[in-house]
Amino acid sequence: SLLRRVALELFLASGRSHFLTFEAKETRRRVHARLLSLCPQLQRRGATARWEGRDLLEARHAELVDDWRSWRISNFDYLMQLNTLAGRSYNDLTQYPVVPWVLQDYTSETLDLADPAVYRDLSKPVGALEPERADKFAERYRGLAQEYDPRAGEAAGLPPFHYGSHYSSAGAVLYYLLRLEPFTSEAIRLQGGRFDVADRLFDSIPETWRSCMSNMSDVKELIPEFYTLPDFLRNDAQLPLGTMQAGNALGDAHLPPWAASAEGFVELHRAALESEYVSEHLHLWIDLIFGCKQRGRAAAEA
C-alpha cells in the first residue's frame, strides 16, 4: 500500500543517497534507532539527548533562505532543497519532488521573458488561477462546510475541501514520465498490464496546461524534469502509445510553438524559472506548498 511510513533515506557526504524500504514501521524505527546510536555526531555536545529533527530542519532551512536571498543558489536549486527538507524524493513516486508551472503562455510563436503577462500568478494554487473554475471550487467548499458537523461522529459528512485531486501524486508523475523507464513499466503495471487509452496519456504541454485550467479534477503542478530533462518529451523507445479518437498517433509530446525542440523547451522553461519575475514571486508559491498556506484558514483563503 502507498503512503506508509516504512522508509528511510540516507544522505551521504559524497552527495549520494540510499532509499531503504522496510516491511513494517517498527522495523524502520529500530533501524533508525540503531543508525543514530552509531553516529555520535548526531548527539548533542555534552548531553545524551539527540538533535530534534525539527531543529535540524529549521537550521538548514534558515541557511537555504540566506543562500537563496543572496543569489548563491538558483531558484531551481532552492526548490529542490525544499523538496528534500519536506521529505520528497526522486526515489518515492508518492512523494516525488514538485515544482510550479511558472508560465501561462503555451500558444505564442515567441516568448518574451521580460513580459510579466507570460507568467502564471504564483500567489494562487493551480485550481484558483482560472476565475470561473475557482468560483465553482469555492461554491463546493461552502456547500460541504454547511453540511459538515464534526460533532456528529460517523454521520459528520465530508470535511470541506476545494479540490478533489492533488497538485502532486504518483499518477501525475507517471503521466508526465510515461516515455521513460522505469516509469513506463510502472504506468503499464498501474493499468493492469497495458497502456491507458491514448486520449488519457500525456501528449501535449499546451493541452496539459489547458486541462489544468479547465478540468475540475486536474490541478497538478509540474515535476523537475520540465526544467532539466528534455528526454521525457521524446518517444525515443518508440513505445506503442496508441491512437487518439481524433486519429492522431501518440509519439513525442507536442511542444508550445515557441519551442523548436525538446531541448529548446527545457532551456527556455528553465530561463523562465530563473527570471526576475519568478525570483520576485516564487516565495508566494512556496508558502502554498511548503509554508504557512499549506492547511487551515490560510489555505482555504488562498
Side-chain angles (χ1 to χ4, degrees):
S1 60
L2 301 177
L3 298 176
R4 295 186 301 143
R5 296 180 179 274
V6 293
L8 290 173
E9 189 161 19
L10 309 179
F11 296 91
L12 309 184
S14 65
R16 301 187 65 180
S17 66
H18 299 282
F19 193 85
L20 310 177
T21 304
F22 303 95
E23 290 290 337
K25 184 176 179 180
E26 175 59 21
T27 307
R28 185 195 73 157
R29 187 197 65 77
R30 287 189 280 110
V31 170
H32 182 246
R34 179 59 175 161
L35 288 172
L36 288 179
S37 71
L38 297 173
C39 299
Q41 64 269 33
L42 295 179
Q43 305 286 337
R44 292 187 188 275
R45 291 185 178 181
T48 58
R50 295 185 176 91
W51 283 99
E52 292 290 339
R54 185 177 298 275
D55 292 342
L56 286 171
L57 291 177
E58 289 181 352
R60 179 60 184 138
H61 182 236
E63 294 174 6
L64 281 174
V65 171
D66 184 60
D67 286 343
W68 182 50
R69 287 174 173 171
S70 303
W71 300 91
R72 289 191 290 269
I73 60 174
S74 66
N75 290 339
F76 180 81
D77 289 336
Y78 183 47
L79 287 171
M80 295 312 299
Q81 293 278 6
L82 286 178
N83 272 278
T84 299
L85 291 178
R88 291 182 171 271
S89 169
Y90 283 112
N91 295 311
D92 186 351
L93 281 178
T94 65
Q95 294 293 325
Y96 205 79
V98 58
V99 293
W101 293 92
V102 297
L103 295 173
Q104 63 176 359
D105 183 351
Y106 295 94
T107 57
S108 298
E109 293 294 329
T110 59
L111 187 67
D112 181 5
L113 296 181
D115 182 2
V118 305
Y119 294 97
R120 163 255 181 109
D121 184 349
L122 289 163
S123 70
K124 298 178 180 179
V126 167
L129 291 175
E130 202 287 313
E132 184 176 341
R133 187 176 65 151
D135 288 343
K136 293 179 181 178
F137 283 132
E139 181 180 355
R140 177 167 68 186
Y141 182 89
R142 289 191 296 268
L144 290 171
Q146 290 176 354
E147 298 172 0
Y148 181 62
D149 182 2
R151 299 167 299 180
E154 294 183 359
L158 285 174
F161 62 87
H162 282 88
Y163 314 121
S165 59
H166 203 254
Y167 59 77
S168 173
S169 67
V173 176
L174 295 178
Y175 172 81
Y176 287 136
L177 297 181
L178 174 70
R179 293 165 175 80
L180 289 182
E181 288 288 7
F183 307 99
T184 304
S185 295
E186 288 296 322
I188 291 172
R189 186 170 70 165
L190 181 66
Q191 294 298 323
R194 57 177 176 78
F195 287 114
D196 198 357
V197 296
D199 286 88
R200 289 202 292 260
L201 299 180
F202 175 47
D203 176 57
S204 164
I205 293 173
E207 286 300 324
T208 298
W209 170 253
R210 274 192 282 271
S211 174
C212 288
M213 292 299 100
S214 60
N215 191 328
M216 291 292 288
S217 61
D218 191 356
V219 294
K220 60 182 173 289
E221 293 279 5
L222 298 182
I223 54 175
E225 285 79 358
F226 273 79
Y227 297 99
T228 60
L229 188 68
D231 305 62
F232 86 99
L233 296 168
R234 292 191 293 261
N235 188 18
D236 289 338
Q238 298 296 304
L239 299 169
L241 301 177
T243 302
M244 304 177 75
Q245 290 184 5
N248 304 321
L250 267 66
D252 297 347
H254 292 285
L255 307 172
W258 45 258
S261 65
E263 288 80 5
F265 169 80
V266 169
E267 181 179 0
L268 271 173
H269 210 216
R270 180 65 173 266
L273 177 63
E274 304 300 338
S275 67
E276 182 176 350
Y277 178 91
V278 173
S279 296
E280 292 176 352
H281 296 85
L282 186 57
H283 67 284
L284 301 172
W285 183 86
I286 290 170
D287 284 345
L288 295 171
I289 306 301
F290 301 108
C292 59
K293 297 182 180 180
Q294 291 182 71
R295 56 177 63 89
R297 181 182 297 274
E301 292 175 351

